[in-house]
């Protein structure tokens, strides 16, 4: 397999990692846009989803938003941003697109997580005289945690994957290594870029699974 | 005159564009539909035996479901690029990538469908002398349809969206038009192709929903009776 050997050579050549279009800078760009977008999406979607779940309203909205997110191509949204004046705003087109696509899984999982808390438990908490706020903080939020973490995981993986597509419209990120390789007919570089992107996506998934387990164990341990 | 101007002034919505490039738009849409249909059908052909294997031998459940989920984690741009050395710049490359993605949803859909078949129905069919093949084809499959069709709809809608990324290798259906329009900031073409893509997804979803209703008349009869009573 000549390709595999050439790919390994590309990845282990220091010159390919340095400079504006080097793998190091592209990785930093990728992490920057993904991190910013995920934080913004969490700040927007989690409070709304949890609040709707607490009220028990807007279920159809949460589900429809999630379905619409699946039907809209990321590439099309990025392209629309890039032919609008937004193209002059640095990383903004990518970050906005990533936020838009991270909101559906976060919103749906937050809503469903709170809604699916056993009604008997909620009734019991109310019977004990808990206020809405106490019920939310002490009962609904801890019980919704596994679902929230699932939503966070799928949103994070989606964001990292989508940040790659940004390269197709000329925005920064690891995808640029792939597209640059395409333009110069450099197959080892294309494969090297793809390997880096796939590894990053798998790493993010693995890290979040590990964090989820760690948090779950701490939550399960009785206090005191 | 005014119609021709919208191409010069680069408006978002341009009637002249839609008229003069209707052939191009039709061709791209047909390629898009072709790639999607091939991917979902092949995905079903692969997902079915996998789901039956998982059902018959539960110890394969972990590896099969884990592997298909892992595939879904790989970004589309990376997936298409990794297949490049093997399949070259071809529709086969895009279809292969999309089939691999569809497996995550389809294998789960088939399993959910089969799990929805009531055990007593299965027992009754066995008692009537149905062999496993006939049981699957005549009893389990029809009863699995609602959950199975839900999976097929979800897979189809996301496949239509993902097909656009195939423009990386020049086989992205409507995505090709978007990519062509980018260097010249051709707004009308980007918007028209994007809107067509979403319309295609909505149309496919409704079409499959209609097909599901046609194939499972008993679910409506039951619902109608419950509603009337």
């Amino acid at each position: 397999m000549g390709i595999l050997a050439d790919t390994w050579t590309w990845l282990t050549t220091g010159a390919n990692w340095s400079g504006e279009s080097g793998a190091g800078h592209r990785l930093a760009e990728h992490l920057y846009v993904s991190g910013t977008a995920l934080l913004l999406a969490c700040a927007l979607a989690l409070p709304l989803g949890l609040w709707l779940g607490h009220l028990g309203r807007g279920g159809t909205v949460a589900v429809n938003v999630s379905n619409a997110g699946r039907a809209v191509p990321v590439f099309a949204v990025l392209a629309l941003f890039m032919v609008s004046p937004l193209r002059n705003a640095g990383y903004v087109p990518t970050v906005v697109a990533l936020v838009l696509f991270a909101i559906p899984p976060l919103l749906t999982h937050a809503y469903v997580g709170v809604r699916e808390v056993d009604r008997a438990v909620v009734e019991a908490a109310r019977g004990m005289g808990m206020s809405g706020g106490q019920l939310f903080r002490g009962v609904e939020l801890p019980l919704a945690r596994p679902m929230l973490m699932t939503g966070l995981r799928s949103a994070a993986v989606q964001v990292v994957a989508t940040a790659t597509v940004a390269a197709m419209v000329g925005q920064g990120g690891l995808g640029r290594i792939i597209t640059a390789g395409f333009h110069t007919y450099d197959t080892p570089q294309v494969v090297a870029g793809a390997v880096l992107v796939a590894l990053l996506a798998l790493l993010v998934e693995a890290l979040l699974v590990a964090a989820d387990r760690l948090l779950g164990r701490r939550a399960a341990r009785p206090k005191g | 005159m005014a119609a021709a101007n919208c191409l010069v002034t680069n408006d978002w919505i341009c009637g002249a564009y839609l008229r003069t490039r209707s052939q191009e738009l039709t061709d791209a849409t047909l390629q898009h539909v072709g790639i999607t249909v091939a991917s979902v059908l092949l995905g079903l052909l692969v997902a079915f035996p996998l789901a039956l294997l998982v059902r018959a031998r539960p110890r394969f459940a972990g590896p099969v479901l884990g592997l298909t989920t892992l595939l879904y984690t790989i970004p589309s741009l990376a997936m298409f690029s990794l297949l490049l050395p093997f399949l070259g710049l071809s529709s086969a490359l895009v279809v292969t990538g999309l089939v691999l993605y569809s497996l995550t949803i389809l294998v789960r859909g088939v399993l959910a469908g089969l799990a929805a078949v009531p055990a007593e129905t299965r027992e009754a069919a066995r008692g009537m002398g149905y062999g496993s093949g006939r049981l699957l084809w005549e009893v389990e499959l029809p009863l699995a349809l609602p959950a199975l069709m839900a999976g097929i709809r979800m897979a189809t809608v996301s496949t239509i969206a993902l097909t656009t990324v195939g423009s990386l290798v020049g086989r992205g259906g409507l995505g090709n038009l978007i990519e062509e329009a980018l260097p010249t900031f051709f707004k009308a073409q980007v918007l028209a192709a994007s809107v067509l893509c979403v319309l295609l997804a909505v149309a496919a979803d409704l079409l499959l929903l209609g097909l599901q209703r046609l194939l499972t008349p008993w679910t409506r009869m039951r619902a109608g009776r419950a509603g009337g009573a």
Side-chain angles (χ1 to χ4, degrees):
Chain A
M1 283 305 290
I3 283 281
L4 285 184
D6 291 344
T7 302
W8 180 249
T9 311
W10 194 96
L11 283 171
T12 49
T13 303
N16 291 329
W17 286 81
S18 57
E20 175 79 10
S21 52
H25 180 235
R26 293 303 182 204
L27 181 64
E29 282 180 321
H30 206 101
L31 294 174
Y32 169 74
V33 291
S34 304
T36 312
L38 196 61
L39 284 177
L40 283 174
C42 281
L44 287 170
L46 291 184
L48 183 64
L50 292 170
W51 184 60
L52 287 175
H54 178 71
L55 294 180
R57 289 207 199 114
T60 38
V61 175
V63 172
N64 282 332
V65 162
S66 157
N67 285 341
R70 205 174 289 119
V72 179
V74 178
F75 178 42
V77 170
L78 279 165
L80 285 170
F81 285 160
M82 290 310 280
V83 293
S84 78
L86 212 58
R87 68 167 172 272
N88 299 317
Y91 294 112
V92 171
T94 308
V95 173
V96 175
L98 295 180
V99 169
L100 287 179
F101 283 93
I103 284 176
L106 289 170
L107 187 68
T108 313
H109 282 87
Y111 175 83
V112 172
V114 175
R115 274 320 285 166
E116 285 195 343
V117 170
D118 194 339
R119 285 298 103 189
V121 177
V122 174
E123 289 308 312
R126 278 198 201 285
M128 285 165 67
M130 278 194 179
S131 69
Q134 286 173 324
L135 172 72
F136 176 71
R137 275 191 306 278
V139 178
E140 289 177 326
L141 197 56
L143 288 175
R145 198 195 57 85
M147 197 57 125
L148 277 178
M149 286 305 286
T150 308
L152 184 66
R153 242 171 61 202
S154 56
V157 170
Q158 168 140 28
V159 160
V160 169
T162 311
T164 317
V165 178
M168 294 179 73
V169 299
Q171 289 261 292
L174 277 176
R176 284 291 282 276
I177 300 173
I178 300 175
T179 50
F182 253 105
H183 293 312
T184 52
Y185 301 99
D186 186 349
T187 307
Q189 182 180 337
V190 170
V191 178
V195 169
L196 285 177
V197 167
L199 282 179
L200 183 67
L202 296 177
L203 185 73
V204 167
E205 166 88 6
L207 276 179
L208 286 169
V209 169
D212 189 22
R213 287 218 180 120
L214 208 70
L215 274 173
R217 208 174 296 152
R218 191 165 300 163
R221 200 183 297 153
K223 284 193 183 112
Chain B
M1 194 58 214
N5 273 340
C6 70
L7 281 172
V8 180
T9 53
N10 196 14
D11 291 341
W12 282 104
I13 298 166
C14 182
Y17 166 74
L18 295 177
R19 264 195 310 281
T20 53
R21 312 284 180 90
S22 65
Q23 188 58 45
E24 212 178 279
L25 283 164
T26 313
D27 290 346
T29 307
L30 287 178
Q31 187 186 61
H32 209 112
V33 172
I35 288 174
T36 303
V37 169
S39 304
V40 175
L41 287 181
L42 282 171
L44 266 177
L45 273 181
V46 180
F48 234 98
L50 281 177
L52 290 178
L53 175 77
V54 166
R55 194 174 65 142
R57 303 256 186 287
R59 66 196 161 89
F60 284 112
V64 168
L65 294 179
L67 188 69
T68 52
T69 310
L70 201 69
L71 285 172
Y72 205 71
T73 312
I74 298 173
S76 47
L77 196 68
M79 178 78 93
F80 291 147
S81 314
L82 284 172
L83 294 169
L84 185 70
F86 308 103
L87 295 163
L89 298 171
S90 63
S91 300
L93 182 148
V94 179
V95 170
T96 306
L98 293 173
V99 165
L100 291 176
Y101 281 128
S102 73
L103 290 182
T104 321
I105 301 168
L106 290 176
V107 171
R108 279 163 208 272
V110 178
L111 281 174
L114 292 175
V117 179
E120 53 265 41
T121 310
R122 211 173 276 141
E123 289 304 310
R126 279 224 187 83
M128 285 168 70
Y130 275 58
S132 57
R134 219 176 130 211
L135 175 71
L136 177 69
W137 191 248
E138 291 178 20
V139 178
E140 292 183 306
L141 205 56
L143 289 175
L145 268 178
L148 176 61
M149 286 300 287
I152 294 178
R153 280 168 60 197
M154 209 191 274
T156 307
V157 168
S158 48
T159 301
I160 289 175
L162 270 173
T163 300
T164 52
V165 180
S167 64
L168 181 74
V169 295
R171 304 290 196 287
L174 292 160
N176 292 341
L177 295 185
I178 297 177
E179 208 203 9
E180 279 169 29
L182 272 175
T184 52
F185 305 111
F186 192 176
K187 290 176 185 167
Q189 181 158 325
V190 173
L191 186 64
S194 304
V195 169
L196 272 176
C197 234
V198 175
L199 286 180
L200 208 56
V202 173
D205 198 43
L206 291 176
L207 206 69
L208 286 169
L209 185 66
L211 182 70
Q212 180 186 342
R213 292 231 171 140
L214 272 179
L215 288 174
T216 57
W218 61 88
T219 54
R220 257 174 309 148
M221 270 156 62
R222 204 179 298 149
R225 211 177 299 147

